[in-house]
mmCIF file of all heavy atoms in Angstrom:
data_model
loop_
_atom_site.group_PDB
_atom_site.id
_atom_site.type_symbol
_atom_site.label_atom_id
_atom_site.label_comp_id
_atom_site.label_asym_id
_atom_site.label_seq_id
_atom_site.Cartn_x
_atom_site.Cartn_y
_atom_site.Cartn_z
ATOM 1 N N ALA A 1 -9.977 -9.354 10.049
ATOM 2 C CA ALA A 1 -9.789 -9.881 8.700
ATOM 3 C C ALA A 1 -8.891 -8.980 7.861
ATOM 4 O O ALA A 1 -8.092 -9.458 7.060
ATOM 5 C CB ALA A 1 -11.138 -10.054 8.016
ATOM 6 N N GLY A 2 -9.022 -7.665 8.039
ATOM 7 C CA GLY A 2 -8.170 -6.745 7.296
ATOM 8 C C GLY A 2 -6.703 -6.948 7.625
ATOM 9 O O GLY A 2 -5.837 -6.939 6.744
ATOM 10 N N ALA A 3 -6.403 -7.154 8.909
ATOM 11 C CA ALA A 3 -5.018 -7.367 9.333
ATOM 12 C C ALA A 3 -4.489 -8.692 8.791
ATOM 13 O O ALA A 3 -3.328 -8.795 8.389
ATOM 14 C CB ALA A 3 -4.930 -7.344 10.856
ATOM 15 N N VAL A 4 -5.335 -9.719 8.762
ATOM 16 C CA VAL A 4 -4.917 -11.021 8.247
ATOM 17 C C VAL A 4 -4.544 -10.920 6.770
ATOM 18 O O VAL A 4 -3.509 -11.442 6.335
ATOM 19 C CB VAL A 4 -6.032 -12.064 8.448
ATOM 20 C CG1 VAL A 4 -5.712 -13.350 7.692
ATOM 21 C CG2 VAL A 4 -6.215 -12.367 9.935
ATOM 22 N N VAL A 5 -5.385 -10.226 5.988
ATOM 23 C CA VAL A 5 -5.091 -10.070 4.563
ATOM 24 C C VAL A 5 -3.832 -9.230 4.364
ATOM 25 O O VAL A 5 -3.007 -9.530 3.486
ATOM 26 C CB VAL A 5 -6.290 -9.446 3.824
ATOM 27 C CG1 VAL A 5 -5.939 -9.142 2.372
ATOM 28 C CG2 VAL A 5 -7.495 -10.378 3.877
ATOM 29 N N PHE A 6 -3.668 -8.197 5.171
ATOM 30 C CA PHE A 6 -2.455 -7.371 5.094
ATOM 31 C C PHE A 6 -1.218 -8.239 5.311
ATOM 32 O O PHE A 6 -0.218 -8.120 4.581
ATOM 33 C CB PHE A 6 -2.523 -6.260 6.147
ATOM 34 C CG PHE A 6 -1.316 -5.372 6.191
ATOM 35 C CD1 PHE A 6 -1.176 -4.324 5.295
ATOM 36 C CD2 PHE A 6 -0.314 -5.586 7.122
ATOM 37 C CE1 PHE A 6 -0.049 -3.506 5.330
ATOM 38 C CE2 PHE A 6 0.812 -4.775 7.169
ATOM 39 C CZ PHE A 6 0.941 -3.722 6.265
ATOM 40 N N LEU A 7 -1.258 -9.117 6.299
ATOM 41 C CA LEU A 7 -0.120 -10.003 6.546
ATOM 42 C C LEU A 7 0.088 -10.961 5.383
ATOM 43 O O LEU A 7 1.227 -11.301 5.041
ATOM 44 C CB LEU A 7 -0.357 -10.784 7.845
ATOM 45 C CG LEU A 7 -0.364 -9.956 9.137
ATOM 46 C CD1 LEU A 7 -0.697 -10.840 10.331
ATOM 47 C CD2 LEU A 7 0.986 -9.271 9.352
ATOM 48 N N GLY A 8 -1.015 -11.407 4.762
ATOM 49 C CA GLY A 8 -0.889 -12.274 3.601
ATOM 50 C C GLY A 8 -0.195 -11.579 2.444
ATOM 51 O O GLY A 8 0.673 -12.161 1.777
ATOM 52 N N VAL A 9 -0.551 -10.309 2.191
ATOM 53 C CA VAL A 9 0.099 -9.530 1.136
ATOM 54 C C VAL A 9 1.584 -9.353 1.460
ATOM 55 O O VAL A 9 2.459 -9.489 0.579
ATOM 56 C CB VAL A 9 -0.591 -8.154 0.979
ATOM 57 C CG1 VAL A 9 0.196 -7.264 0.019
ATOM 58 C CG2 VAL A 9 -2.022 -8.330 0.480
ATOM 59 N N CYS A 10 1.893 -9.073 2.727
ATOM 60 C CA CYS A 10 3.297 -8.931 3.139
ATOM 61 C C CYS A 10 4.068 -10.227 2.903
ATOM 62 O O CYS A 10 5.213 -10.206 2.428
ATOM 63 C CB CYS A 10 3.371 -8.555 4.614
ATOM 64 S SG CYS A 10 2.798 -6.883 4.998
ATOM 65 N N ALA A 11 3.430 -11.360 3.222
ATOM 66 C CA ALA A 11 4.101 -12.650 3.052
ATOM 67 C C ALA A 11 4.400 -12.932 1.585
ATOM 68 O O ALA A 11 5.468 -13.447 1.249
ATOM 69 C CB ALA A 11 3.226 -13.765 3.640
ATOM 70 N N ILE A 12 3.480 -12.589 0.709
ATOM 71 C CA ILE A 12 3.691 -12.810 -0.724
ATOM 72 C C ILE A 12 4.870 -12.001 -1.239
ATOM 73 O O ILE A 12 5.692 -12.490 -2.024
ATOM 74 C CB ILE A 12 2.405 -12.460 -1.504
ATOM 75 C CG1 ILE A 12 1.333 -13.517 -1.243
ATOM 76 C CG2 ILE A 12 2.678 -12.367 -2.999
ATOM 77 C CD1 ILE A 12 -0.011 -13.159 -1.821
ATOM 78 N N ALA A 13 4.951 -10.740 -0.790
ATOM 79 C CA ALA A 13 6.053 -9.885 -1.237
ATOM 80 C C ALA A 13 7.369 -10.287 -0.581
ATOM 81 O O ALA A 13 8.417 -10.348 -1.241
ATOM 82 C CB ALA A 13 5.727 -8.422 -0.927
ATOM 83 N N ALA A 14 7.347 -10.574 0.728
ATOM 84 C CA ALA A 14 8.574 -10.866 1.469
ATOM 85 C C ALA A 14 9.217 -12.175 1.031
ATOM 86 O O ALA A 14 10.451 -12.309 1.060
ATOM 87 C CB ALA A 14 8.279 -10.906 2.965
ATOM 88 N N THR A 15 8.415 -13.146 0.623
ATOM 89 C CA THR A 15 8.958 -14.441 0.195
ATOM 90 C C THR A 15 9.339 -14.458 -1.277
ATOM 91 O O THR A 15 9.838 -15.480 -1.770
ATOM 92 C CB THR A 15 7.921 -15.564 0.445
ATOM 93 O OG1 THR A 15 6.708 -15.254 -0.265
ATOM 94 C CG2 THR A 15 7.625 -15.709 1.935
ATOM 95 N N GLY A 16 9.095 -13.349 -1.970
ATOM 96 C CA GLY A 16 9.422 -13.289 -3.381
ATOM 97 C C GLY A 16 8.458 -14.069 -4.252
ATOM 98 O O GLY A 16 8.743 -14.319 -5.434
ATOM 99 N N THR A 17 7.320 -14.455 -3.691
ATOM 100 C CA THR A 17 6.319 -15.180 -4.472
ATOM 101 C C THR A 17 5.823 -14.312 -5.618
ATOM 102 O O THR A 17 5.631 -14.781 -6.741
ATOM 103 C CB THR A 17 5.145 -15.590 -3.565
ATOM 104 O OG1 THR A 17 5.650 -16.379 -2.478
ATOM 105 C CG2 THR A 17 4.103 -16.384 -4.333
ATOM 106 N N LEU A 18 5.606 -13.044 -5.337
ATOM 107 C CA LEU A 18 5.321 -12.034 -6.346
ATOM 108 C C LEU A 18 6.225 -10.846 -6.101
ATOM 109 O O LEU A 18 6.686 -10.627 -4.971
ATOM 110 C CB LEU A 18 3.853 -11.590 -6.281
ATOM 111 C CG LEU A 18 2.769 -12.622 -6.604
ATOM 112 C CD1 LEU A 18 1.383 -11.998 -6.371
ATOM 113 C CD2 LEU A 18 2.881 -13.116 -8.035
ATOM 114 N N THR A 19 6.479 -10.063 -7.123
ATOM 115 C CA THR A 19 7.254 -8.850 -6.939
ATOM 116 C C THR A 19 6.447 -7.859 -6.104
ATOM 117 O O THR A 19 5.211 -7.969 -6.003
ATOM 118 C CB THR A 19 7.594 -8.204 -8.286
ATOM 119 O OG1 THR A 19 6.382 -7.746 -8.907
ATOM 120 C CG2 THR A 19 8.293 -9.194 -9.209
ATOM 121 N N PRO A 20 7.102 -6.876 -5.488
ATOM 122 C CA PRO A 20 6.344 -5.872 -4.725
ATOM 123 C C PRO A 20 5.260 -5.187 -5.548
ATOM 124 O O PRO A 20 4.157 -4.952 -5.053
ATOM 125 C CB PRO A 20 7.436 -4.882 -4.294
ATOM 126 C CG PRO A 20 8.681 -5.706 -4.216
ATOM 127 C CD PRO A 20 8.554 -6.708 -5.327
ATOM 128 N N VAL A 21 5.580 -4.877 -6.811
ATOM 129 C CA VAL A 21 4.585 -4.221 -7.670
ATOM 130 C C VAL A 21 3.384 -5.137 -7.889
ATOM 131 O O VAL A 21 2.232 -4.717 -7.778
ATOM 132 C CB VAL A 21 5.217 -3.822 -9.019
ATOM 133 C CG1 VAL A 21 4.135 -3.331 -9.985
ATOM 134 C CG2 VAL A 21 6.269 -2.744 -8.809
ATOM 135 N N ASP A 22 3.663 -6.419 -8.186
ATOM 136 C CA ASP A 22 2.567 -7.365 -8.404
ATOM 137 C C ASP A 22 1.792 -7.631 -7.123
ATOM 138 O O ASP A 22 0.574 -7.825 -7.148
ATOM 139 C CB ASP A 22 3.114 -8.679 -8.960
ATOM 140 C CG ASP A 22 3.446 -8.586 -10.437
ATOM 141 O OD1 ASP A 22 2.906 -7.668 -11.092
ATOM 142 O OD2 ASP A 22 4.236 -9.406 -10.927
ATOM 143 N N SER A 23 2.473 -7.663 -5.990
ATOM 144 C CA SER A 23 1.816 -7.931 -4.713
ATOM 145 C C SER A 23 0.787 -6.853 -4.374
ATOM 146 O O SER A 23 -0.260 -7.142 -3.788
ATOM 147 C CB SER A 23 2.847 -8.024 -3.586
ATOM 148 O OG SER A 23 3.772 -9.063 -3.825
ATOM 149 N N LEU A 24 1.104 -5.607 -4.735
ATOM 150 C CA LEU A 24 0.249 -4.475 -4.366
ATOM 151 C C LEU A 24 -0.688 -4.037 -5.480
ATOM 152 O O LEU A 24 -1.419 -3.058 -5.326
ATOM 153 C CB LEU A 24 1.136 -3.297 -3.954
ATOM 154 C CG LEU A 24 2.046 -3.539 -2.745
ATOM 155 C CD1 LEU A 24 3.010 -2.372 -2.555
ATOM 156 C CD2 LEU A 24 1.230 -3.753 -1.484
ATOM 157 N N ARG A 25 -0.691 -4.754 -6.580
ATOM 158 C CA ARG A 25 -1.464 -4.324 -7.742
ATOM 159 C C ARG A 25 -2.969 -4.298 -7.466
ATOM 160 O O ARG A 25 -3.713 -3.539 -8.082
ATOM 161 C CB ARG A 25 -1.152 -5.237 -8.929
ATOM 162 C CG ARG A 25 -1.792 -4.798 -10.236
ATOM 163 C CD ARG A 25 -1.200 -5.562 -11.395
ATOM 164 N NE ARG A 25 0.199 -5.190 -11.604
ATOM 165 C CZ ARG A 25 1.048 -5.875 -12.357
ATOM 166 N NH1 ARG A 25 0.650 -6.988 -12.951
ATOM 167 N NH2 ARG A 25 2.297 -5.471 -12.502
ATOM 168 N N GLY A 26 -3.435 -5.100 -6.540
ATOM 169 C CA GLY A 26 -4.863 -5.120 -6.239
ATOM 170 C C GLY A 26 -5.394 -3.777 -5.763
ATOM 171 O O GLY A 26 -6.571 -3.457 -5.977
ATOM 172 N N TYR A 27 -4.536 -2.982 -5.149
ATOM 173 C CA TYR A 27 -4.986 -1.687 -4.623
ATOM 174 C C TYR A 27 -5.145 -0.634 -5.713
ATOM 175 O O TYR A 27 -5.641 0.458 -5.447
ATOM 176 C CB TYR A 27 -4.020 -1.206 -3.530
ATOM 177 C CG TYR A 27 -3.991 -2.167 -2.370
ATOM 178 C CD1 TYR A 27 -2.903 -3.021 -2.177
ATOM 179 C CD2 TYR A 27 -5.074 -2.268 -1.506
ATOM 180 C CE1 TYR A 27 -2.890 -3.933 -1.133
ATOM 181 C CE2 TYR A 27 -5.064 -3.180 -0.453
ATOM 182 C CZ TYR A 27 -3.971 -4.002 -0.283
ATOM 183 O OH TYR A 27 -3.974 -4.913 0.750
ATOM 184 N N ALA A 28 -4.736 -0.968 -6.928
ATOM 185 C CA ALA A 28 -4.957 -0.074 -8.069
ATOM 186 C C ALA A 28 -6.156 -0.503 -8.897
ATOM 187 O O ALA A 28 -6.496 0.153 -9.879
ATOM 188 C CB ALA A 28 -3.701 -0.036 -8.952
ATOM 189 N N ASP A 29 -6.808 -1.587 -8.493
ATOM 190 C CA ASP A 29 -7.963 -2.083 -9.239
ATOM 191 C C ASP A 29 -9.137 -1.116 -9.075
ATOM 192 O O ASP A 29 -9.508 -0.768 -7.946
ATOM 193 C CB ASP A 29 -8.350 -3.469 -8.717
ATOM 194 C CG ASP A 29 -9.324 -4.188 -9.636
ATOM 195 O OD1 ASP A 29 -10.372 -3.597 -9.969
ATOM 196 O OD2 ASP A 29 -9.033 -5.334 -10.021
ATOM 197 N N PRO A 30 -9.759 -0.668 -10.176
ATOM 198 C CA PRO A 30 -10.892 0.270 -10.067
ATOM 199 C C PRO A 30 -12.047 -0.255 -9.228
ATOM 200 O O PRO A 30 -12.742 0.517 -8.559
ATOM 201 C CB PRO A 30 -11.321 0.467 -11.530
ATOM 202 C CG PRO A 30 -10.113 0.144 -12.344
ATOM 203 C CD PRO A 30 -9.395 -0.931 -11.585
ATOM 204 N N ILE A 31 -12.250 -1.575 -9.233
ATOM 205 C CA ILE A 31 -13.346 -2.153 -8.467
ATOM 206 C C ILE A 31 -13.126 -1.939 -6.970
ATOM 207 O O ILE A 31 -14.065 -1.701 -6.205
ATOM 208 C CB ILE A 31 -13.494 -3.657 -8.775
ATOM 209 C CG1 ILE A 31 -13.878 -3.855 -10.242
ATOM 210 C CG2 ILE A 31 -14.536 -4.292 -7.881
ATOM 211 C CD1 ILE A 31 -15.200 -3.227 -10.617
ATOM 212 N N VAL A 32 -11.878 -2.013 -6.537
ATOM 213 C CA VAL A 32 -11.558 -1.774 -5.123
ATOM 214 C C VAL A 32 -11.915 -0.333 -4.747
ATOM 215 O O VAL A 32 -12.472 -0.069 -3.669
ATOM 216 C CB VAL A 32 -10.069 -2.063 -4.852
ATOM 217 C CG1 VAL A 32 -9.709 -1.750 -3.403
ATOM 218 C CG2 VAL A 32 -9.749 -3.524 -5.178
ATOM 219 N N TRP A 33 -11.651 0.600 -5.637
ATOM 220 C CA TRP A 33 -11.984 2.006 -5.384
ATOM 221 C C TRP A 33 -13.485 2.239 -5.460
ATOM 222 O O TRP A 33 -14.023 3.112 -4.763
ATOM 223 C CB TRP A 33 -11.231 2.905 -6.370
ATOM 224 C CG TRP A 33 -9.801 3.055 -5.962
ATOM 225 C CD1 TRP A 33 -8.753 2.261 -6.313
ATOM 226 C CD2 TRP A 33 -9.279 4.048 -5.076
ATOM 227 N NE1 TRP A 33 -7.604 2.693 -5.719
ATOM 228 C CE2 TRP A 33 -7.887 3.800 -4.958
ATOM 229 C CE3 TRP A 33 -9.830 5.115 -4.391
ATOM 230 C CZ2 TRP A 33 -7.064 4.573 -4.158
ATOM 231 C CZ3 TRP A 33 -9.009 5.906 -3.591
ATOM 232 C CH2 TRP A 33 -7.651 5.634 -3.483
ATOM 233 N N LEU A 34 -14.167 1.458 -6.281
ATOM 234 C CA LEU A 34 -15.625 1.547 -6.316
ATOM 235 C C LEU A 34 -16.215 1.228 -4.943
ATOM 236 O O LEU A 34 -17.063 1.962 -4.418
ATOM 237 C CB LEU A 34 -16.180 0.570 -7.360
ATOM 238 C CG LEU A 34 -17.662 0.193 -7.250
ATOM 239 C CD1 LEU A 34 -18.547 1.410 -7.482
ATOM 240 C CD2 LEU A 34 -18.012 -0.919 -8.224
ATOM 241 N N VAL A 35 -15.751 0.149 -4.353
ATOM 242 C CA VAL A 35 -16.258 -0.248 -3.036
ATOM 243 C C VAL A 35 -15.919 0.805 -1.988
ATOM 244 O O VAL A 35 -16.757 1.170 -1.150
ATOM 245 C CB VAL A 35 -15.680 -1.622 -2.637
ATOM 246 C CG1 VAL A 35 -16.118 -2.001 -1.224
ATOM 247 C CG2 VAL A 35 -16.122 -2.694 -3.624
ATOM 248 N N LEU A 36 -14.696 1.308 -2.026
ATOM 249 C CA LEU A 36 -14.281 2.330 -1.060
ATOM 250 C C LEU A 36 -15.166 3.562 -1.159
ATOM 251 O O LEU A 36 -15.677 4.074 -0.142
ATOM 252 C CB LEU A 36 -12.814 2.708 -1.315
ATOM 253 C CG LEU A 36 -12.209 3.767 -0.382
ATOM 254 C CD1 LEU A 36 -12.116 3.228 1.048
ATOM 255 C CD2 LEU A 36 -10.829 4.201 -0.880
ATOM 256 N N CYS A 37 -15.390 4.047 -2.370
ATOM 257 C CA CYS A 37 -16.210 5.245 -2.558
ATOM 258 C C CYS A 37 -17.667 5.002 -2.182
ATOM 259 O O CYS A 37 -18.338 5.896 -1.655
ATOM 260 C CB CYS A 37 -16.113 5.720 -4.014
ATOM 261 S SG CYS A 37 -14.510 6.418 -4.452
ATOM 262 N N ALA A 38 -18.158 3.791 -2.448
ATOM 263 C CA ALA A 38 -19.536 3.480 -2.084
ATOM 264 C C ALA A 38 -19.721 3.530 -0.573
ATOM 265 O O ALA A 38 -20.775 3.939 -0.077
ATOM 266 C CB ALA A 38 -19.924 2.112 -2.627
ATOM 267 N N PHE A 39 -18.694 3.147 0.173
ATOM 268 C CA PHE A 39 -18.762 3.272 1.630
ATOM 269 C C PHE A 39 -18.820 4.743 2.054
ATOM 270 O O PHE A 39 -19.515 5.096 3.013
ATOM 271 C CB PHE A 39 -17.561 2.579 2.273
ATOM 272 C CG PHE A 39 -17.812 1.153 2.650
ATOM 273 C CD1 PHE A 39 -17.695 0.144 1.707
ATOM 274 C CD2 PHE A 39 -18.185 0.807 3.938
ATOM 275 C CE1 PHE A 39 -17.928 -1.178 2.034
ATOM 276 C CE2 PHE A 39 -18.431 -0.511 4.283
ATOM 277 C CZ PHE A 39 -18.301 -1.511 3.333
ATOM 278 N N PHE A 40 -18.097 5.590 1.343
ATOM 279 C CA PHE A 40 -18.150 7.021 1.667
ATOM 280 C C PHE A 40 -19.542 7.593 1.378
ATOM 281 O O PHE A 40 -20.048 8.432 2.121
ATOM 282 C CB PHE A 40 -17.093 7.779 0.870
ATOM 283 C CG PHE A 40 -15.673 7.388 1.204
ATOM 284 C CD1 PHE A 40 -14.665 7.484 0.248
ATOM 285 C CD2 PHE A 40 -15.348 6.918 2.461
ATOM 286 C CE1 PHE A 40 -13.364 7.122 0.551
ATOM 287 C CE2 PHE A 40 -14.038 6.547 2.774
ATOM 288 C CZ PHE A 40 -13.050 6.648 1.813
ATOM 289 N N ILE A 41 -20.146 7.135 0.281
ATOM 290 C CA ILE A 41 -21.515 7.571 -0.031
ATOM 291 C C ILE A 41 -22.472 7.092 1.059
ATOM 292 O O ILE A 41 -23.388 7.822 1.472
ATOM 293 C CB ILE A 41 -21.939 7.038 -1.412
ATOM 294 C CG1 ILE A 41 -21.093 7.705 -2.514
ATOM 295 C CG2 ILE A 41 -23.420 7.294 -1.669
ATOM 296 C CD1 ILE A 41 -21.304 7.135 -3.903
ATOM 297 N N ALA A 42 -22.248 5.869 1.553
ATOM 298 C CA ALA A 42 -23.074 5.359 2.652
ATOM 299 C C ALA A 42 -22.934 6.244 3.882
ATOM 300 O O ALA A 42 -23.908 6.467 4.614
ATOM 301 C CB ALA A 42 -22.658 3.925 2.983
#
């Protein structure tokens, strides 16, 4: 599933559907980092 979503993000940026900055903006979302850190605590 991770690889599928990665390809989806690539497709959005490569087709110009969103700009590269907008395509990758989800990785700057604090909630995404919350989940990542919670896994480290686990």
Side-chain angles (χ1 to χ4, degrees):
V4 170
V5 174
F6 178 82
L7 293 176
V9 172
C10 290
I12 288 172
T15 58
T17 303
L18 295 176
T19 66
V21 172
D22 282 340
S23 300
L24 299 172
R25 186 168 292 166
Y27 298 105
D29 193 307
I31 296 298
V32 177
W33 283 89
L34 161 65
V35 176
L36 180 66
C37 290
F39 267 83
F40 296 151
I41 293 173

